[in-house]
């Protein structure tokens, strides 16, 4: 999906900061004027000015606006927007949508890009942005050294500031004994009762499908083909796939993002989540600065804010996994409590488009 995006021209704004050094001192006697042993007269100081070291740089003042395209979740994106605007004075123009919709918008605007920061719910999709030369390197991001390294780019092209895990969400009223493994959903008892998100719309669902296939190879398609034969329905993006399970129209959502399930459960909905012991995929949600950003300083400050204590606490409150190793997940299993399957991110990036096309044809 990102392969159609071409390299865009780099437009970076730079600011030159000058420094003046002022001070006050003692007036020496004029040459040739006798001193007669008396103390020299001094001129009274008229002002006291702090002397700044010549090599000390002032922090750049941020201004203007920042355009952010975010794959949600909505309440988190809005909370971060409010916190950032309060801290910096820079106003954010926000577009929220699924990973697929964000990438489609970028594709439509490629001749005249306007976005500064992009947040996707898929690591391979963000890797594609970097591979296509669309991201700006930012190596000095604050707190980047505290991030889970596997979720971010070592060269500073994207930052996995949060993540979700994929699992089996189920209606607790309809499913007193939930399935334990992915293959269990091919059994007759679940025929016509299961939804799966559309990987063309959900970046995290695509991460699950490509992650599963990267470990299983072509034989991995056998499970997906059995899902189709057992009536598993492709049902839009994550929320659209989950809602029928909450209402009871369906019993289970497979490869559903966990944080939506935990949010609904916290509101009293009859829903819960399990992670198969054979492992699942944890899907990072990376943020990247786009190379054509018209306000790169404000964009860098936005990345810094995403990685701050304040924003990471917001992430935990939303039932997502925080991107920083020193911030704990809240009211949900943490990274070390979720069994993970062995996956190949590079394979997932390279084969994402082909997998999406084949999956869509299979489930249409």
């Amino acid at each position: 999906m990102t392969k159609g995006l071409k390299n865009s021209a780099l437009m970076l704004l730079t600011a030159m900061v000058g420094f003046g050094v002022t001070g006050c001192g003692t007036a020496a006697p004029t040459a040739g004027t006798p001193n007669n042993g008396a103390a020299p007269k001094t001129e009274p100081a008229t002002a006291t000015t702090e002397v700044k070291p010549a090599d000390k740089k002032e922090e750049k003042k941020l201004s203007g606006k920042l355009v952010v395209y975010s794959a949600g979740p909505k309440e988190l994106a809005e909370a971060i927007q409010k916190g950032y605007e309060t801290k910096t004075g820079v106003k954010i123009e926000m577009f929220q949508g699924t990973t697929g919709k964000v990438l489609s918008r970028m594709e439509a605007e490629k001749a005249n890009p306007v976005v500064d920061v992009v947040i996707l719910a898929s690591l391979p999709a963000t890797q594609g942005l970097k591979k296509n030369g669309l991201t700006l390197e930012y190596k000095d991001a604050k707190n980047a050294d505290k991030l889970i390294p596997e979720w971010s780019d070592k060269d500073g092209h994207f930052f996995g500031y949060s993540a979700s895990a994929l699992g089996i969400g189920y209606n607790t009223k309809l499913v007193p004994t939930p399935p334990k493994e992915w293959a269990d959903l091919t059994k007759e008892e679940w025929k016509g009762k299961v939804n799966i998100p559309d990987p063309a719309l959900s970046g995290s669902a695509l991460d699950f499908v490509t992650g599963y296939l990267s470990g299983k190879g072509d034989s991995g398609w056998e499970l997906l083909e059995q899902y189709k034969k057992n009536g598993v329905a492709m049902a839009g993006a994550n929320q659209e796939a989950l809602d029928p399970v909450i209402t009871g129209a369906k019993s289970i959502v497979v490869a559903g993002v966990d944080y939506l399930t935990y949010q609904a459960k916290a509101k009293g909905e009859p829903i819960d989540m399990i992670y198969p012991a054979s492992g699942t995929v944890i899907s990072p949600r990376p943020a990247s600065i786009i190379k054509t950003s018209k306000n790169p300083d404000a964009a860098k400050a936005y990345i810094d804010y995403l990685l701050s204590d304040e924003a990471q606490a917001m992430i935990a409150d939303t039932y997502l996994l925080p991107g920083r190793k020193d911030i704990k997940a809240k009211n949900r299993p943490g990274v070390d409590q979720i069994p993970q399957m062995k996956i190949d991110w590079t394979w997932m990036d390279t084969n994402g488009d082909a997998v999406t096309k084949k999956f869509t044809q299979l489930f249409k």
Side-chain angles (χ1 to χ4, degrees):
M1 192 176 307
T2 59
K3 290 184 172 65
L5 296 174
K6 298 181 179 179
N7 291 344
S8 302
L10 172 64
M11 297 187 293
L12 297 178
L13 303 177
T14 58
M16 299 298 294
V17 182
F19 300 89
V21 179
T22 59
C24 57
T26 302
T30 304
T33 303
N35 194 16
N36 297 324
K41 294 182 179 181
T42 60
E43 296 294 330
T46 57
T48 302
T49 305
E50 181 183 356
V51 179
K52 299 179 181 179
D55 60 348
K56 184 178 180 181
K57 294 183 179 180
E58 292 179 348
E59 187 174 341
K60 294 179 180 178
K61 183 174 177 60
L62 302 175
S63 61
K65 73 172 184 177
L66 191 71
V67 180
V68 178
Y69 292 175
S70 175
K74 183 175 184 292
E75 64 272 23
L76 175 61
E78 290 175 348
I80 289 174
Q81 176 178 350
K82 182 178 179 181
Y84 172 83
E85 289 179 343
T86 300
K87 184 177 180 63
T88 66
V90 175
K91 294 299 179 182
I92 290 178
E93 184 178 301
M94 178 79 70
F95 169 74
Q96 294 181 51
T98 64
T99 293
K101 290 181 179 178
V102 168
L103 292 173
S104 293
R105 182 162 180 147
M106 292 179 68
E107 174 72 13
E109 295 172 347
K110 66 181 181 180
N112 184 29
V114 298
V115 64
D116 297 295
V117 176
V118 170
I119 297 172
L120 300 178
S122 171
L123 178 58
T126 308
Q127 288 176 320
L129 296 182
K130 179 189 175 184
K131 186 168 63 177
N132 286 319
L134 298 178
T135 54
L136 179 69
E137 179 185 287
Y138 179 33
K139 283 195 171 182
D140 299 324
K142 296 177 182 177
N143 293 311
D145 59 324
K146 299 176 183 177
L147 291 172
I148 296 173
E150 294 82 9
W151 298 359
S152 300
D153 178 56
K154 62 181 179 61
D155 296 319
H157 283 265
F158 55 81
F159 304 86
Y161 79 104
S162 66
S164 62
L166 288 303
I168 298 174
Y170 62 96
N171 185 301
T172 54
K173 291 183 177 180
L174 301 177
V175 186
T177 304
K180 296 181 178 180
E181 280 296 338
W182 307 111
D184 289 347
L185 298 175
T186 65
K187 296 178 180 178
E188 179 68 23
E189 63 182 299
W190 304 116
K191 190 173 182 66
K193 298 179 180 180
V194 180
N195 276 348
I196 190 169
D198 183 353
L201 298 175
S202 166
S204 53
L206 179 59
D207 281 1
F208 172 79
V209 176
T210 55
Y212 183 82
L213 292 171
S214 75
K216 299 289 185 179
D218 287 341
S219 66
W221 284 104
E222 294 177 7
L223 176 68
L224 301 174
E225 290 166 356
Q226 290 173 14
Y227 278 0
K228 175 61 178 177
K229 290 178 181 178
N230 209 37
V232 173
M234 185 171 67
N238 296 306
Q239 192 68 58
E240 290 81 1
L242 176 64
D243 284 341
V245 180
I246 293 174
T247 62
K250 293 281 185 175
S251 297
I252 286 175
V253 56
V254 62
V257 288
D258 57 0
Y259 76 92
L260 289 178
T261 298
Y262 295 132
Q263 286 179 352
K265 181 180 178 180
K267 294 176 182 177
E269 299 291 357
I271 193 81
D272 211 342
M273 168 75 63
I274 69 108
Y275 306 103
S278 61
T280 187
V281 174
I282 292 181
S283 178
R285 307 172 71 84
S288 54
I289 302 172
I290 300 305
K291 189 178 290 186
T292 51
S293 170
K294 296 178 176 62
N295 200 346
D297 290 335
K300 291 176 180 178
Y302 187 83
I303 297 296
D304 289 343
Y305 186 71
L306 286 179
L307 309 188
S308 68
D309 293 354
E310 183 176 319
Q312 289 289 301
M314 295 179 192
I315 290 162
D317 288 340
T318 315
Y319 296 94
L320 281 163
L321 294 165
R324 278 174 42 179
K325 295 175 289 186
D326 59 329
I327 306 293
K328 300 299 182 182
K330 184 176 180 180
N331 298 323
R332 55 149 301 150
V335 174
D336 57 349
Q337 298 171 293
I338 301 172
Q340 296 182 56
M341 63 178 70
K342 186 176 181 180
I343 60 176
D344 184 341
W345 290 110
T346 301
W347 188 96
M348 294 160 66
D349 174 30
T350 303
N351 293 276
D353 288 347
V355 168
T356 301
K357 183 177 179 180
K358 184 172 180 177
F359 186 97
T360 303
Q361 289 175 341
L362 176 62
F363 281 86
K364 68 180 179 179

